[in-house]
Amino acid sequence: MPNVLATLMLLIWPLVTVAMYAQMPVQRAVVWSVLSAYLILPAATEIDLPLIPGLSKYMIPAFFGYIAACATQGRLIPLIPRSALARLFLAMVIFGTIGTVLTNADPVFVNRETIIPALRPYDALSMVMNHLGWLLIWALAREFLTDREGVMLFARALVVSFLIYSVPMLYEIRMSPQLHRMIYGFFQHDFGQMMRQGGFRPIVFLEHGLWVAILTAMAFLTALVLARDAAPGQKAGWYRAGAYLGVLLVLCKSIAALIYAAALLPVFLWGRARLMLRVAVLISILILAFPMLRGAGLIPTDEMVEMVAGFSADRAQSLGFRFHHEDAFLDRAAERPVFGWGGWGRNATYDPLTGENLSVADGQWIISIGISGYVGFIGYFGLLAAPIFLMGRAYRRAGREVPVLAAGMALVLAVNLVDLLPNATLTPVTWLLTGGLLGYLERLGQGASEPESPVAASAAPRRRNFAGLVGATTPMGPRSLL
């Protein structure tokens, strides 16, 4: 159970978020409010309040950050993107939710004692509200991280955050993962899963050690992107940061994250921007096609398990366990492939005698398909990959070559997307990155030779911007929510 400090942190962090927007430039406030909340606040904890979404490390920077951004900028931040492709994917997510509810108006009968109720119209609102956290962060990033400085700010903040976070990570690697229990009063996951290779892997204040590992891998690769992009006198510093984070990644003891980083390391070190972007596009296409390939039996799962067994019997057993349960979920999803089964465990398989849930879902892709069907999966993952697909076309239309910074961050995003196949490591950091890249490309598509922050040109004091929310004219002109 969370202690008093965990509850207190969740209660005061809305004020911290608002203070960031009041005292910082809006670009910095967007980035640091999301990163600080996610890395510091307690995991697996939420405070339910009436009329507003529950307070959690996901919702606080999204909901209160959005309100603060609207107040300080004197306008509503639009939730609908300019890009037609991104609009299509977003529509599939939102309206697919309605389709899920309409096609699941029947209860699921497990046995006489276990009946999972049908979905009601109210559940459509609940499911849409579940999207609100990532949607608001994505919208804030898309609106304000729209120039080179915005993308650079995110990249530097991610690297600096994990240079700082390495201190508690190294403590847990040496002393065992206990910080969340010591500070917030409970351990957020299964302690046994933090024991690897005769030692420990860190979890700090995140959901699992795998989440820590993939974000460390992203920070490591981002440091290399910054080194490639930096002026000659600054390259060495970023390379040193990258080397340190690379060692930290090894100490995280996550084979998957380490394989991603090692496989793509030559591309990040020596590949041209065009190659980086092509690799990111190829990865994104394979991710969107993966469920169909997996369902058609074109993914050699048995051979993969045998290959892993040559390195570690325990890892091979874990991989085989995942594949077994994915097969069960795919069989279940095949019964309602378009809009899925909805939530509340309707997408799972059960023991007909005991009513026990026999399913274990690890990958974000199989969770999305089971709950939202292929419509929801394509919309959700397509929205994440949209800036990767749009980047090359946007720069060609602008008559410019794709720079290393943009292509490198697109490839960092692709690394996170790859990890959504074995794991559900979708975090606010992911949405911050994909939203920022999309906003960058949307402004580039408007013909700006060097995308400029939508707030950089305005030197109006914050008090005047705040007044714009209640009627004063703002330099940007009126903006609707949609």
Side-chain angles (χ1 to χ4, degrees):
M1 291 291 293
N3 59 17
V4 175
L5 179 60
T7 303
L8 181 63
M9 287 289 284
L10 292 175
L11 288 175
I12 68 172
W13 211 261
L15 301 178
V16 174
T17 301
V18 172
M20 287 185 179
Y21 279 85
Q23 299 298 323
M24 294 181 176
V26 67
Q27 282 188 331
R28 292 183 178 273
V30 169
V31 171
W32 284 109
S33 65
V34 172
L35 283 174
S36 61
Y38 184 63
L39 296 178
I40 295 174
L41 293 181
T45 309
E46 180 178 293
I47 298 177
D48 290 323
L49 295 175
L51 303 179
I52 66 173
L55 299 182
S56 68
K57 65 192 305 171
Y58 305 96
M59 188 58 70
I60 289 173
F63 185 74
F64 291 96
Y66 182 81
I67 292 175
C70 292
T72 57
Q73 298 304 305
R75 56 189 174 87
L76 290 176
I77 309 304
L79 301 180
I80 304 301
R82 299 183 183 93
S83 163
L85 181 64
R87 287 187 177 189
L88 173 62
F89 288 138
L90 182 60
M92 293 177 72
V93 173
I94 301 302
F95 293 106
T97 297
I98 299 174
T100 298
V101 172
L102 293 178
T103 56
N104 284 275
D106 56 321
V108 174
F109 294 92
V110 179
N111 55 33
R112 292 181 179 179
E113 289 77 25
T114 307
I115 301 175
I116 304 176
L119 297 184
R120 305 159 297 170
Y122 171 82
D123 293 311
L125 177 61
S126 176
M127 293 171 71
V128 171
M129 289 295 290
N130 287 337
H131 294 314
L132 190 61
W134 64 259
L135 178 60
L136 294 180
I137 291 175
W138 180 71
L140 288 171
R142 200 189 67 247
E143 182 72 6
F144 296 114
L145 306 184
T146 58
D147 58 1
R148 173 183 168 82
E149 290 305 313
V151 177
M152 181 72 73
L153 171 63
F154 168 83
R156 289 175 174 173
L158 180 62
V159 174
V160 170
S161 294
F162 272 82
L163 290 175
I164 298 171
Y165 218 53
S166 68
V167 176
M169 288 170 63
L170 290 171
Y171 173 86
E172 291 199 337
I173 290 168
R174 178 64 180 88
M175 305 300 294
S176 81
Q178 295 288 344
L179 289 174
H180 198 282
R181 181 192 60 79
M182 292 165 58
I183 295 175
Y184 293 127
F186 71 103
F187 191 74
Q188 66 270 46
H189 208 276
D190 178 8
F191 186 84
Q193 293 190 23
M194 303 305 109
M195 302 172 64
R196 284 292 184 272
Q197 302 171 14
F200 302 100
R201 57 186 179 190
I203 184 172
V204 198
F205 306 122
L206 302 190
E207 300 89 333
H208 193 284
L210 296 174
W211 273 243
V212 176
I214 190 61
L215 287 174
T216 303
M218 293 169 65
F220 162 57
L221 298 173
T222 299
L224 301 182
V225 174
L226 290 171
R228 293 279 307 275
D229 182 75
Q234 300 175 348
K235 289 182 179 292
W238 291 114
Y239 277 126
R240 285 195 293 268
Y244 174 76
L245 291 172
V247 173
L248 189 66
L249 174 60
V250 174
L251 296 176
C252 286
K253 302 179 180 68
S254 172
I255 296 298
L258 191 58
I259 288 175
Y260 309 147
L264 294 173
L265 185 59
V267 180
F268 278 95
L269 286 175
W270 302 295
R272 294 184 177 181
R274 185 175 299 178
L275 175 62
M276 288 181 172
L277 183 57
R278 286 176 177 174
V279 173
V281 170
L282 177 61
I283 290 173
S284 301
I285 292 173
L286 291 176
I287 290 170
L288 287 174
F290 183 82
M292 292 177 286
L293 298 175
R294 183 77 170 82
L298 298 178
I299 304 296
T301 55
D302 293 337
E303 290 79 0
M304 292 172 66
V305 172
E306 292 178 4
M307 181 180 67
V308 173
F311 299 94
S312 170
D314 291 340
R315 296 298 174 92
Q317 182 180 6
S318 176
L319 185 61
F321 179 84
R322 289 171 182 256
F323 287 152
H324 170 74
H325 285 280
E326 284 180 1
D327 289 336
F329 271 109
L330 283 172
D331 291 340
R332 179 70 170 166
E335 299 177 30
R336 297 189 180 180
V338 180
F339 295 113
W341 285 91
W344 317 113
R346 293 173 55 89
N347 60 320
T349 56
Y350 296 86
D351 187 316
L353 297 179
T354 65
E356 178 186 2
N357 188 339
L358 302 176
S359 305
V360 178
D362 289 312
Q364 184 67 48
W365 74 276
I366 196 65
I367 295 173
S368 296
I369 287 177
I371 294 177
S372 305
Y374 282 89
V375 170
F377 166 80
I378 294 173
Y380 205 60
F381 277 72
L383 204 60
L384 287 165
I388 298 175
F389 291 132
L390 293 171
M391 185 169 290
R393 183 181 180 185
Y395 273 94
R396 284 195 300 271
R397 286 187 169 184
R400 299 168 57 193
E401 289 290 330
V402 180
V404 168
L405 177 65
M409 295 312 296
L411 189 52
V412 169
L413 174 59
V415 169
N416 194 173
L417 299 187
V418 169
D419 200 53
L420 298 183
L421 299 181
N423 302 305
T425 49
L426 187 59
T427 71
V429 180
T430 315
W431 290 108
L432 198 61
L433 176 54
T434 194
L437 288 176
L438 182 60
Y440 182 94
L441 297 176
E442 286 179 340
R443 285 189 62 83
L444 183 67
Q446 291 180 326
S449 59
E450 179 65 27
E452 184 182 18
S453 168
V455 295
S458 174
R462 296 182 189 278
R463 186 172 300 277
R464 182 177 178 182
N465 282 344
F466 180 84
L469 189 61
V470 291
T473 304
T474 66
M476 290 289 294
R479 294 291 295 274
S480 70
L481 182 64
L482 303 182

